[in-house]
Amino acid sequence: MSILVDETKTVIVQGITGREGMARTQLMQRYGTRVVAGCTPAKGGQDVLGVPVFDTVMEAVEKMGSIDVSTIFVPAPLVKNAALEAIAAGIKLLVIVPDRVPIYDVLEIAAAAKDAGARFIGPNTLGLLSPGRAVFGMIGGSASSAKDWFLPGRVGVTSRSGGITSSIAYYLSRAGIGLSTIIHVGGDGIIGTDHPAVMELFESDPDTDCVVMFGEIGTSQEERVADLIASGKFTKPLVAYIGGKGAQSGTRFSHAGAIIEGDRGTHDGKVKRLREVGATVVDNFGDIPDAVKTIIRPMETAKIPIIE
Amino acid sequence: MVDNALCHCDIGSPGRATNRSKVIMARLHEYHGKQLLREAGFAVPKGQVVRSQGEVPAALAISGLPAVVKAQAWTTSRAAQGAIAIADNAGDVTAAAARMLSLKIGGFDVTEVLIEEKVDINREFYAGIVVDDANKTPVVIFSSIGGSGIEELARKYPKNVSKTPVDVRFGLREYEAREAVRKTGVTGSLQNELTKALLTLYRVARQWEARSAEINPLVLRGDGKLVACDCRITVDDSAVFRHPELKIEIAREFGRPPTALDKIAWSVEKDDYRGTFYFIEMARGYKKGEGFIGFHGAGGGGSMMSMDALVKRGYTIANFTDTSGNPPASKVYRAAKIILSQPNIDGYFGSGSGVASQEQFHSARGLVKAFWEENLSIPAVIRLGGNGEDKAIQILTEYTKNLPAPVEGYKKDDTADFCAQRMQKLLEAQPDKAAPRQMALPVTPDFTAKDPYSFETPTGKVVLDHALCRECQTKSCVQTCVPQILKNQDGVVVLNISREDAKAGKCIECLACEVECRIGGNSGGRVILPIPGLEEYRAKIMGA
Ligand code: SF4
Ligand code: SF4
């Protein structure tokens, strides 16, 4: 099992005729994702990599039957409309890849998603991947890298940084620790599915034994994960690393979310809260695989990849 | 959480100034925020901003006496830093303004001072709109007992502080605003006025897409009117493009006014949507040999971790740079040129998450071109782990062998810590750390082609010297051009697409026709990528 992502789910790519949309469609297809439709307004009737393109998401659903997931690769100013369209067409999981989506647009998407019982990942996300099964978004960059780098197993990974999602997953795989699902929740301050929401999903996934979380300064996500542990809503072992220790001067680095705001959001505050509730917080990023190993026996199924 | 952003009260009451971790964003100065409030019908103190002593009389004519003099600076503790004064006569106002205009706050010059009427305070309230990351809604926060230390107040006096989530699609309703006020114990006509104030504030926040908008204090004047005595409005930097009238120079969240180099970097990023380039100067006024490192990261999380690795070894980050999200080689090149426009950095450190999705050889080519042009004389350690890393490291290290300083390249199995250790080793091995570094000037070396063939690219141009191409045996540019838009035609290389298509983006500025050409022992290909303002900038600091 996995959370949210597997090879049975049908996927539409919004913005499929663009540079990114096309490249990522190829990645998803080659990895095993069921891409059934694409959408670019006024370009209906074409076909991209064997995928039929429709003018609207509604039309795609009309012609192809209901679709489970939309991956969105349109320019940031157009994301709101694309996401609302997908929600209106009945799609229940959206993966919003672009960054720099205005906050109030995200809030509107969030309100619509809540009413429709839909969920979104991102914005500013590489997406999510379940090793050997499927990828929604662009984790790994190419299917062959994604196949090489990430091995199946029973550890979940959730991260606010895209590159770090890949590196944690790669370093764990290399250490013989396989993965159930890896998810980049997105680098922005306001995101659809944040660390606490992911924890709840991992909690109810029978095939995830342990979770690794990459947190960062800014937002209240990591503190709310600690709240979940404290209230018994997340009971699996958690290994965490919090980035941005040296960034306390108050400068914002690339992630829109990585800003200290008030008491919550500081590096030390997050580390302290998580340790108080019993999570393993490592000080060195490189210590993550060992920390996970001491918690779970490495999965025999995960083979050590050959590294040139 | 809703109580995240409620931490700024710095007006009028020196003893109560808070000094918390700063919130750094695309924020507006106080006077600018007040102007937006005034335009929306909110009462603000009469006043005007001055930029020199000579403008004081005109401002005084508006504000009258006594007046409050306030340096316009992005800090949470103006009062404690002598950046707020109350004066009874024109002489004192002028003196205070003059003094503030020579202040440095957070290392940056104060250039604007607000002079406004002193408001006769009857009672203080707090009103704020923030975005709640947990519930993903705007939240209205209102306090009937002022807002100094609002988080603390909310804990101690929950009956006097209300928090009201708003459905962003419908906006704040009148009854919701009234309820927010009523809950804190305010009744009668004051309740009416405060309800209106909250509705106006929400409208302003929504209109300008503020991540937070706070009025603190919101003052009930002696005459019964509500006045916004200080405000902080922080515009969502991703929405700045929709609000050109705000004239926000750089849609980035800085804790200070942008430096000249920040502005040059922003001009590179502004109109180029291919990937992200982020640059902030983090130190100034240091000397060569003092351990300042030019930092070039990729991806926020990995960059922060990589900086931590350097800081642990006792180095200081001269600048923060991030090129990520699959940027073209040209963008990485320009980033490197800008980083190398800091004459006193001791080393160049590039490291991101280590396992990048993007094809890393693009970055390698960008770096190599910049290092060549600069004839790099400070050691560089670059981690380019991820897709295409083998090719990337080969390009990076093979082609920089003849530079004065060592360039080392690492892959995904090398940690940021290890790379920082290598940086340290190389720096320690430098014979004369304080020796000055020459920056290339002109920034882009001249290229005079005997028989030029050129075409425009999205942000520059490619020039091929057909005189040299004719002699070239390898024609390596044809094979290595990533989008394959070049062809060999009668012994010279030309486009196999239209010039328009090349300019519109078919040429992805992968730099192969320059870098691979040179690697093949030829020199007929050159990609010219201007960086507006950099020439003058370098000339100025080298002249100084
Ligand atoms: S490799 Fe250089 S010299 Fe040779 S054809 Fe290409 S541009 Fe001309
Ligand atoms: S012409 Fe080809 S090789 Fe040269 S920069 Fe453009 S894309 Fe790259």
Side-chain angles (χ1 to χ4, degrees):
Chain A
M1 269 272 291
S2 56
I3 61 166
L4 302 172
V5 47
D6 64 57
E7 69 283 5
T8 66
K9 299 218 164 72
T10 51
V11 175
I12 183 169
V13 178
Q14 287 181 262
I16 193 166
T17 53
R19 177 181 81 125
E20 283 291 303
M22 220 180 278
R24 305 317 170 189
T25 299
Q26 185 173 62
L27 153 70
M28 287 193 274
Q29 280 181 327
R30 290 189 177 165
Y31 196 78
T33 308
R34 273 184 74 192
V35 182
V36 297
C39 173
T40 300
K43 296 211 171 158
Q46 301 185 6
D47 132 358
V48 170
L49 301 160
V51 177
V53 180
F54 300 96
D55 287 325
T56 68
V57 180
M58 299 284 188
E59 187 196 6
V61 170
E62 238 171 65
K63 305 255 167 75
M64 309 298 295
S66 80
I67 295 173
D68 300 315
V69 182
S70 173
T71 52
I72 298 181
F73 293 94
V74 303
L78 309 181
V79 161
K80 181 174 93 174
N81 186 63
L84 295 178
E85 179 185 3
I87 293 168
I91 294 180
K92 296 298 180 212
L93 179 63
L94 280 59
V95 179
I96 303 177
V97 175
D99 70 342
R100 303 187 70 73
V101 179
I103 287 178
Y104 281 87
D105 289 2
V106 181
L107 295 179
E108 266 191 66
I109 296 167
K114 196 173 170 194
D115 285 356
R119 172 191 290 286
F120 63 103
I121 315 291
N124 193 4
T125 179
L126 292 185
L128 57 167
L129 177 148
S130 207
R133 308 190 67 177
V135 56
F136 301 158
M138 54 172 292
I139 293 188
S142 75
S144 58
S145 299
K147 283 178 189 161
D148 264 16
W149 293 349
F150 315 127
L151 296 179
R154 302 182 60 84
V155 173
V157 174
T158 178
S159 162
R160 283 170 59 188
S161 157
I164 297 293
T165 313
S166 307
S167 43
I168 291 176
Y170 169 73
Y171 294 128
L172 288 172
S173 296
R174 197 184 53 169
I177 302 162
L179 314 156
S180 56
T181 299
I182 65 178
I183 172 164
H184 173 213
V185 295
D188 287 356
I190 309 293
I191 50 176
T193 303
D194 51 19
H195 280 327
V198 172
M199 292 303 159
E200 292 186 84
L201 292 167
F202 276 134
E203 176 71 12
S204 53
D205 176 26
D207 292 323
T208 298
D209 295 336
C210 167
V211 177
V212 176
M213 172 174 82
F214 179 82
E216 275 177 5
I217 53 167
T219 81
S220 63
Q221 296 182 50
E222 293 78 11
E223 289 86 341
R224 286 185 283 119
V225 167
D227 294 345
L228 282 181
I229 298 174
S231 62
K233 290 191 183 118
F234 183 74
T235 60
K236 295 182 179 179
L238 175 68
V239 173
Y241 176 90
I242 309 294
K245 190 178 171 64
Q248 281 166 335
S249 61
T251 308
R252 176 173 89 83
F253 297 107
S254 312
H255 289 198
I259 316 164
I260 298 167
E261 299 180 284
D263 280 342
R264 286 195 156 195
T266 66
H267 178 269
D268 292 354
K270 285 174 191 283
V271 171
K272 189 163 161 266
R273 271 293 285 144
L274 285 165
R275 284 194 174 138
E276 272 167 9
V277 297
T280 304
V281 184
V282 295
D283 291 321
N284 287 311
F285 182 73
D287 294 342
I288 292 174
D290 281 345
V292 175
K293 269 190 191 163
T294 61
I295 292 171
I296 58 148
R297 210 162 38 82
M299 300 289 107
E300 277 91 2
T301 49
K303 289 185 221 84
I304 294 164
I306 299 129
I307 295 145
E308 327 76 345
Chain B
M1 267 318 278
V2 282
D3 49 2
N4 279 349
L6 317 178
C7 53
H8 339 281
C9 169
D10 63 357
I11 180 203
S13 41
R16 291 187 292 159
T18 52
N19 193 4
R20 292 169 168 278
S21 33
K22 284 187 255 173
V23 183
I24 305 303
M25 294 177 201
R27 56 172 54 147
L28 305 182
H29 274 311
E30 174 192 358
Y31 75 89
H32 195 177
K34 282 179 170 169
Q35 191 186 318
L36 300 183
L37 287 173
R38 191 188 314 116
E39 285 164 10
F42 220 108
V44 299
K46 287 180 294 186
Q48 189 166 302
V49 73
V50 302
R51 293 174 183 84
S52 71
Q53 216 174 310
E55 294 172 15
V56 171
L60 267 177
I62 293 168
S63 71
L65 287 166
V68 187
V69 186
K70 301 158 93 181
Q72 300 295 290
W74 293 318
T75 172
T76 51
S77 55
R78 279 186 297 177
Q81 301 184 51
I84 293 182
I86 296 170
D88 295 325
N89 59 66
D92 287 355
V93 170
T94 310
R99 181 178 56 76
M100 286 177 203
L101 283 168
S102 65
L103 271 183
K104 260 189 196 301
I105 293 184
F108 288 84
D109 298 334
V110 172
T111 57
E112 294 168 317
V113 169
L114 177 62
I115 295 173
E116 58 180 25
E117 69 174 307
K118 183 171 176 290
V119 173
D120 148 35
I121 297 174
N122 184 340
R123 188 173 166 187
E124 290 189 5
F125 301 93
Y126 166 94
I129 314 291
V130 298
V131 175
D132 176 1
D133 77 286
N135 292 320
K136 303 183 238 309
T137 63
V139 175
V140 177
I141 296 149
F142 176 74
S143 153
S144 61
I145 50 172
S148 175
I150 183 79
E151 291 161 62
E152 196 50 36
L153 284 182
R155 266 192 294 274
K156 270 203 193 143
Y157 308 103
K159 286 212 171 82
N160 298 104
V161 181
S162 68
K163 297 180 181 182
T164 310
V166 180
D167 187 320
V168 71
R169 293 167 296 179
F170 311 125
L172 182 65
R173 308 277 197 192
E174 203 265 359
Y175 72 87
E176 294 171 321
R178 182 175 301 278
E179 185 59 10
V181 175
R182 197 274 311 163
K183 274 196 283 199
T184 66
V186 180
T187 57
S189 64
L190 186 54
Q191 187 185 79
N192 287 339
E193 291 309 306
L194 284 165
T195 301
K196 269 191 238 154
L198 290 188
L199 289 168
T200 307
L201 177 60
Y202 182 84
R203 244 189 12 252
V204 170
R206 185 70 184 87
Q207 180 185 351
W208 301 107
E209 302 191 62
R211 290 178 71 119
S212 77
E214 297 174 274
I215 300 178
N216 186 22
L218 172 56
V219 164
L220 178 65
R221 212 162 49 186
D223 64 358
K225 203 166 169 58
L226 286 169
V227 183
C229 277
D230 193 5
C231 78
R232 260 172 199 268
I233 295 180
T234 304
V235 175
D236 169 21
D237 63 354
S238 298
V240 163
F241 75 95
R242 289 201 279 231
H243 305 287
E245 46 309 19
L246 290 179
K247 297 199 171 63
I248 291 174
E249 207 172 6
I250 301 188
R252 282 284 155 87
E253 301 173 357
F254 287 165
R256 50 159 175 76
T259 65
L261 205 51
D262 293 340
K263 289 185 196 171
I264 291 169
W266 175 248
S267 75
V268 166
E269 170 64 359
K270 201 173 51 184
D271 300 316
D272 188 354
Y273 295 106
R274 303 166 301 168
T276 305
F277 166 39
Y278 193 100
F279 177 93
I280 324 172
E281 242 182 310
M282 294 186 45
R284 310 200 76 187
Y286 55 90
K287 294 197 182 65
K288 184 114 193 312
E290 292 180 342
F292 286 77
I293 307 294
F295 179 79
H296 190 159
S303 299
M304 280 196 275
M305 224 159 58
S306 303
M307 286 192 290
D308 286 354
L310 276 180
V311 171
K312 255 189 229 162
R313 290 182 179 270
Y315 295 104
T316 312
I317 309 297
N319 67 279
F320 172 71
T321 297
D322 176 5
T323 49
S324 56
N326 205 12
S330 56
K331 200 175 236 187
V332 176
Y333 158 81
R334 287 186 169 102
K337 292 287 275 190
I338 288 169
I339 293 170
L340 288 167
S341 299
Q342 304 170 105
N344 294 329
I345 52 175
D346 292 339
Y348 194 107
F349 191 71
S351 170
S353 72
V355 188
S357 299
Q358 62 201 28
E359 294 282 7
Q360 293 285 42
F361 57 82
H362 290 290
S363 296
R365 288 200 184 117
L367 291 171
V368 163
K369 175 169 160 66
F371 291 175
W372 274 341
E373 288 179 6
E374 297 298 323
N375 193 30
L376 191 73
S377 61
I378 51 170
V381 173
I382 314 287
R383 186 166 71 135
L384 285 173
N387 273 304
E389 62 178 13
D390 293 325
K391 188 167 160 190
I393 297 308
Q394 194 201 346
I395 291 171
L396 182 76
T397 51
E398 289 282 311
Y399 309 156
T400 53
K401 271 190 183 139
N402 297 326
L403 292 175
V407 176
E408 294 189 353
Y410 293 97
K411 305 184 202 171
K412 63 180 178 303
D413 287 329
D414 305 304
T415 63
D417 275 326
F418 173 76
C419 294
Q421 187 189 329
R422 287 304 308 157
M423 184 87 252
Q424 184 172 17
K425 283 264 153 55
L426 294 183
L427 286 168
E428 282 167 2
Q430 284 295 293
D432 182 5
K433 294 183 192 59
R437 178 171 63 87
Q438 278 307 309
M439 296 188 292
L441 203 70
V443 171
T444 323
D446 294 327
F447 182 64
T448 27
K450 261 205 211 124
D451 181 8
Y453 168 84
S454 79
F455 56 89
E456 287 183 63
T457 70
T459 67
K461 69 175 177 190
V462 167
V463 183
L464 306 178
D465 187 348
H466 276 175
L468 293 165
C469 294
R470 240 170 250 121
E471 309 296 311
C472 166
Q473 300 301 310
T474 61
K475 303 283 190 290
S476 44
C477 57
V478 176
Q479 292 100 53
T480 52
C481 167
V482 172
Q484 293 284 295
I485 57 169
L486 300 176
K487 66 175 176 201
N488 185 348
Q489 184 179 296
D490 306 328
V492 292
V493 171
V494 294
L495 277 174
N496 65 17
I497 56 171
S498 72
R499 286 169 187 276
E500 291 70 36
D501 282 353
K503 180 167 172 56
K506 285 269 165 23
C507 164
I508 62 166
E509 301 183 331
C510 73
L511 306 184
C513 57
E514 172 172 339
V515 174
E516 301 297 330
C517 166
R518 279 185 70 165
I519 283 154
N522 300 300
S523 53
R526 190 64 71 87
V527 187
I528 299 180
L529 300 166
I531 305 172
L534 197 62
E535 198 76 35
E536 298 74 15
Y537 181 80
R538 284 192 176 189
K540 201 169 149 198
I541 41 178
M542 284 165 79

